[in-house]
Every structure is written in C-alpha cells, then in structure tokens.
Amino acid sequence: MSATMLRTSAKPVATSSRRASVKCSAMMSQSARSAASLCSIAAAGLIAAAPAMAASVDFASIPKGPVESPLHLDFKVDGYKVQPAAEGLAAGTGHFHVLIDQGAAPEGEVLPFDSTHLHYGKGQTSGDIELAPGEHKLTLQFANALHESYGPQLAKTIVVKVK
C-alpha cells in the first residue's frame, strides 16, 4: 500500500476541537507507523527476493590475433575469493586452473595434475603458458581446495592461435 493510498483513505477529521485534533494526530501516527511497517516488510521481501550476484571467472585480458609462446594470462573471479589450496576448504573460495585443449570440467570432478591441467593452487592470479604453434582452446576453471571443479558456471573458454 503506498503512502498516497494511506493519505487518501483516511476520512477528513475536523480540527476545531482539541479532541478532534488529538484523534487526527493519533490516526496520522498510526497511519505513519503502518506505512513504515509496510515499507519495511516490502523492502525486506525485495532484498530477500533479489538474486545473488552471479559468480564468474574470466581472463582479465583476452589476447587478440596470433600470440607468442609463452603466453601470459591474468585471471579474475567475481563472487568468490581466491585462496591457496593449502588453506583448506572454505565456502566461497578456490583457485584457478587452466585446461589446455579442453572444455569446462563438470561440477565436482577432481582436476588431474598433468600437462593439460595447469594448477594455480598457491592462489596465483596469472600465469605464463607454453604452447605449441597452432590453435588452442584454453579453459579457465575455478575449483575448491581439493581441486574439485565448480563446474561450467565458473569456467571461461577462449581460443588462441600461437605463431
């Protein structure tokens, strides 16, 4: 209910007597309190219903055109905190991985330690990647302290052509 509706729904009260004046003040105070309560309830509902900011990862700058190896990449994450894996599991934290010539890992999949799964488990936010000449798919993947992928929703894939 809007404040305008509250104001217009009240019946006019004569203010010629003290009693009417007190009654009018009490009615206005009650209306003001009701309006404030309704606004508080509505605001609380809107805040609770507001979607949380979507978490995402991305390369801070995506190279354009042919690149040279080693390729320097900077990583960023929104909605999560970068934390070294050695600090253990904590909600809303993780570290980066770059998957070479692969797409995003399914949520919960443990990322292996091999030449196509580069781990940045010390909390690094950049890396230099050695790549053979040709076209390569690079997927930035965020994972928890156990190297379990947060899935495609926290992954970003780009394609680069190495000279």
Side-chain angles (χ1 to χ4, degrees):
M1 187 180 294
S2 72
T4 304
M5 289 172 60
L6 286 173
R7 240 184 267 125
T8 58
S9 65
K11 294 181 183 174
V13 177
T15 57
S16 58
S17 72
R18 173 157 170 72
R19 183 175 186 195
S21 177
V22 169
K23 184 176 180 181
C24 182
S25 294
M27 195 166 82
M28 288 175 66
S29 295
Q30 179 60 38
S31 292
R33 283 193 299 273
S34 295
S37 293
L38 287 173
C39 288
S40 296
I41 290 167
L46 289 174
I47 291 169
M53 182 180 186
S56 65
V57 298
D58 206 347
F59 294 95
S61 60
I62 298 173
K64 292 181 177 29
V67 298
E68 292 187 15
S69 185
L71 173 62
H72 179 80
L73 294 170
D74 293 306
F75 321 131
K76 64 181 181 176
V77 63
D78 290 319
Y80 277 69
K81 178 183 169 199
V82 176
Q83 176 175 295
E87 292 183 19
L89 286 175
T93 67
H95 62 277
F96 295 106
H97 299 81
V98 175
L99 287 53
I100 300 173
D101 295 322
Q102 299 176 50
E107 186 172 352
E109 180 177 298
V110 176
L111 300 172
F113 285 83
D114 61 29
S115 62
T116 62
H117 295 82
L118 307 180
H119 290 251
Y120 297 90
K122 293 180 183 174
Q124 306 98 308
T125 56
S126 66
D128 294 316
I129 301 171
E130 292 283 343
L131 295 166
E135 193 171 276
H136 295 280
K137 178 169 41 171
L138 303 176
T139 300
L140 182 62
Q141 179 74 64
F142 208 63
N144 67 21
L146 300 176
H147 306 281
E148 296 169 336
S149 168
Y150 282 118
Q153 63 274 15
L154 280 174
K156 171 73 176 198
T157 301
I158 61 171
V159 176
V160 297
K161 184 169 183 161
V162 180
K163 298 181 205 177

PDB file of all heavy atoms in Angstrom, residues 6 27-37:
ATOM      1  N   LEU A   6      -2.609   5.587   1.666  1.00  0.00           N
ATOM      2  CA  LEU A   6      -2.892   5.740   3.085  1.00  0.00           C
ATOM      3  C   LEU A   6      -3.462   7.110   3.367  1.00  0.00           C
ATOM      4  O   LEU A   6      -4.409   7.258   4.115  1.00  0.00           O
ATOM      5  CB  LEU A   6      -1.624   5.525   3.921  1.00  0.00           C
ATOM      6  CG  LEU A   6      -1.155   4.087   4.043  1.00  0.00           C
ATOM      7  CD1 LEU A   6       0.194   4.038   4.730  1.00  0.00           C
ATOM      8  CD2 LEU A   6      -2.158   3.255   4.811  1.00  0.00           C
ATOM      9  N   MET A  27      -4.506   9.198  14.595  1.00  0.00           N
ATOM     10  CA  MET A  27      -4.777   8.483  13.362  1.00  0.00           C
ATOM     11  C   MET A  27      -3.613   8.638  12.390  1.00  0.00           C
ATOM     12  O   MET A  27      -3.195   7.681  11.743  1.00  0.00           O
ATOM     13  CB  MET A  27      -6.063   9.031  12.729  1.00  0.00           C
ATOM     14  CG  MET A  27      -6.626   8.145  11.645  1.00  0.00           C
ATOM     15  SD  MET A  27      -8.294   8.601  11.222  1.00  0.00           S
ATOM     16  CE  MET A  27      -7.958   9.945  10.112  1.00  0.00           C
ATOM     17  N   MET A  28      -3.048   9.834  12.301  1.00  0.00           N
ATOM     18  CA  MET A  28      -1.919  10.061  11.407  1.00  0.00           C
ATOM     19  C   MET A  28      -0.702   9.275  11.881  1.00  0.00           C
ATOM     20  O   MET A  28       0.014   8.699  11.084  1.00  0.00           O
ATOM     21  CB  MET A  28      -1.604  11.549  11.299  1.00  0.00           C
ATOM     22  CG  MET A  28      -2.662  12.303  10.501  1.00  0.00           C
ATOM     23  SD  MET A  28      -2.401  14.063  10.489  1.00  0.00           S
ATOM     24  CE  MET A  28      -0.886  14.179   9.587  1.00  0.00           C
ATOM     25  N   SER A  29      -0.493   9.246  13.192  1.00  0.00           N
ATOM     26  CA  SER A  29       0.641   8.493  13.714  1.00  0.00           C
ATOM     27  C   SER A  29       0.486   7.012  13.414  1.00  0.00           C
ATOM     28  O   SER A  29       1.439   6.351  13.036  1.00  0.00           O
ATOM     29  CB  SER A  29       0.782   8.705  15.227  1.00  0.00           C
ATOM     30  OG  SER A  29       1.103  10.053  15.478  1.00  0.00           O
ATOM     31  N   GLN A  30      -0.741   6.513  13.584  1.00  0.00           N
ATOM     32  CA  GLN A  30      -0.992   5.103  13.289  1.00  0.00           C
ATOM     33  C   GLN A  30      -0.777   4.838  11.804  1.00  0.00           C
ATOM     34  O   GLN A  30      -0.163   3.853  11.426  1.00  0.00           O
ATOM     35  CB  GLN A  30      -2.419   4.700  13.710  1.00  0.00           C
ATOM     36  CG  GLN A  30      -2.752   3.255  13.409  1.00  0.00           C
ATOM     37  CD  GLN A  30      -1.829   2.273  14.109  1.00  0.00           C
ATOM     38  OE1 GLN A  30      -1.430   2.482  15.247  1.00  0.00           O
ATOM     39  NE2 GLN A  30      -1.461   1.211  13.421  1.00  0.00           N
ATOM     40  N   SER A  31      -1.253   5.748  10.954  1.00  0.00           N
ATOM     41  CA  SER A  31      -1.066   5.593   9.509  1.00  0.00           C
ATOM     42  C   SER A  31       0.411   5.622   9.158  1.00  0.00           C
ATOM     43  O   SER A  31       0.873   4.840   8.338  1.00  0.00           O
ATOM     44  CB  SER A  31      -1.791   6.705   8.755  1.00  0.00           C
ATOM     45  OG  SER A  31      -3.178   6.544   8.896  1.00  0.00           O
ATOM     46  N   ALA A  32       1.144   6.539   9.768  1.00  0.00           N
ATOM     47  CA  ALA A  32       2.581   6.635   9.502  1.00  0.00           C
ATOM     48  C   ALA A  32       3.284   5.352   9.949  1.00  0.00           C
ATOM     49  O   ALA A  32       4.152   4.837   9.244  1.00  0.00           O
ATOM     50  CB  ALA A  32       3.184   7.848  10.199  1.00  0.00           C
ATOM     51  N   ARG A  33       2.893   4.837  11.127  1.00  0.00           N
ATOM     52  CA  ARG A  33       3.504   3.594  11.609  1.00  0.00           C
ATOM     53  C   ARG A  33       3.159   2.435  10.684  1.00  0.00           C
ATOM     54  O   ARG A  33       3.999   1.612  10.357  1.00  0.00           O
ATOM     55  CB  ARG A  33       3.052   3.291  13.043  1.00  0.00           C
ATOM     56  CG  ARG A  33       3.737   4.128  14.102  1.00  0.00           C
ATOM     57  CD  ARG A  33       3.500   3.568  15.497  1.00  0.00           C
ATOM     58  NE  ARG A  33       2.099   3.541  15.873  1.00  0.00           N
ATOM     59  CZ  ARG A  33       1.438   4.542  16.435  1.00  0.00           C
ATOM     60  NH1 ARG A  33       2.054   5.674  16.696  1.00  0.00           N
ATOM     61  NH2 ARG A  33       0.160   4.429  16.746  1.00  0.00           N
ATOM     62  N   SER A  34       1.911   2.376  10.222  1.00  0.00           N
ATOM     63  CA  SER A  34       1.501   1.305   9.303  1.00  0.00           C
ATOM     64  C   SER A  34       2.267   1.399   8.001  1.00  0.00           C
ATOM     65  O   SER A  34       2.734   0.390   7.472  1.00  0.00           O
ATOM     66  CB  SER A  34       0.000   1.395   9.019  1.00  0.00           C
ATOM     67  OG  SER A  34      -0.727   1.148  10.199  1.00  0.00           O
ATOM     68  N   ALA A  35       2.398   2.619   7.483  1.00  0.00           N
ATOM     69  CA  ALA A  35       3.137   2.803   6.234  1.00  0.00           C
ATOM     70  C   ALA A  35       4.586   2.396   6.400  1.00  0.00           C
ATOM     71  O   ALA A  35       5.163   1.722   5.550  1.00  0.00           O
ATOM     72  CB  ALA A  35       3.042   4.252   5.768  1.00  0.00           C
ATOM     73  N   ALA A  36       5.187   2.792   7.517  1.00  0.00           N
ATOM     74  CA  ALA A  36       6.588   2.434   7.771  1.00  0.00           C
ATOM     75  C   ALA A  36       6.732   0.920   7.882  1.00  0.00           C
ATOM     76  O   ALA A  36       7.682   0.337   7.352  1.00  0.00           O
ATOM     77  CB  ALA A  36       7.091   3.118   9.035  1.00  0.00           C
ATOM     78  N   SER A  37       5.781   0.271   8.550  1.00  0.00           N
ATOM     79  CA  SER A  37       5.830  -1.192   8.676  1.00  0.00           C
ATOM     80  C   SER A  37       5.696  -1.856   7.320  1.00  0.00           C
ATOM     81  O   SER A  37       6.437  -2.784   6.995  1.00  0.00           O
ATOM     82  CB  SER A  37       4.723  -1.692   9.595  1.00  0.00           C
ATOM     83  OG  SER A  37       4.968  -1.258  10.910  1.00  0.00           O
TER      84      SER A  37
END
